[in-house]
Amino acid sequence: MVAALVILLVLLAVAWLLRPSAEEFAWFLRLRRPDWLTFERLIPLIWLLIYLCFYAAALLSWTATGSWGLMVGFLGLLLLVQSYTWLICRTRRLASGTGIGLAGWLWGVALAVVVAARVPLAALLLVPYLLWSPVGTLVTWQMQRLNR
């Protein structure tokens, strides 16, 4: 119970601390998107699912192994993922998002490989992020071309 609460509090704290201001996020929302991005209204729901999977994966990993190393790995992934929008909005440079999106995906792949050896179910819970992250990075890359 304590681990579940601590993991949740860390997740919420990182999300709170690495969030763009309302003004910064308004700038981001005004940017043009690719025409094929017809499902944009579903993106917050997709991210909610991904964050729930992160939470469950970290909790399962901790419960099964008690490994601080894995927790640091999950924290690193969370920091990369959450800093994606924050960095784009703070710098007003979409290119920042493309780079951090790639870094987050690579970190996620490495974490999934490490976790899979010890807690296979936790590694499976990282798959939604590993599938979605390239889509988000592609959207950001195409937005660069639309918003020069």
Side-chain angles (χ1 to χ4, degrees), residues 5 87 89 111 142:
L5 188 56
L87 188 61
C89 292
L111 181 62
Q142 288 193 347

Side-chain angles (χ1 to χ4, degrees), residues 5-52:
L5 188 56
V6 169
I7 291 169
L8 180 61
L9 289 175
V10 168
L11 195 147
L12 292 173
V14 169
W16 177 260
L17 292 170
L18 289 178
R19 73 189 190 320
S21 70
E23 179 185 320
E24 291 167 340
F25 196 63
W27 167 83
F28 180 73
L29 292 176
R30 286 191 301 268
L31 296 174
R32 293 192 342 233
R33 268 84 172 144
D35 292 335
W36 58 265
L37 187 62
T38 58
F39 53 89
E40 186 170 12
R41 62 182 165 69
L42 296 176
I43 292 174
L45 208 54
I46 292 167
W47 276 110
L48 179 61
L49 173 68
I50 288 169
Y51 277 103
L52 288 172

Side-chain angles (χ1 to χ4, degrees), residues 79-102:
L79 289 168
L80 285 167
V81 169
Q82 189 61 32
S83 63
Y84 173 83
T85 304
W86 177 82
L87 188 61
I88 288 173
C89 292
R90 184 60 53 102
T91 64
R92 293 189 179 217
R93 290 188 62 234
L94 289 163
S96 304
T98 304
I100 205 156
L102 176 61

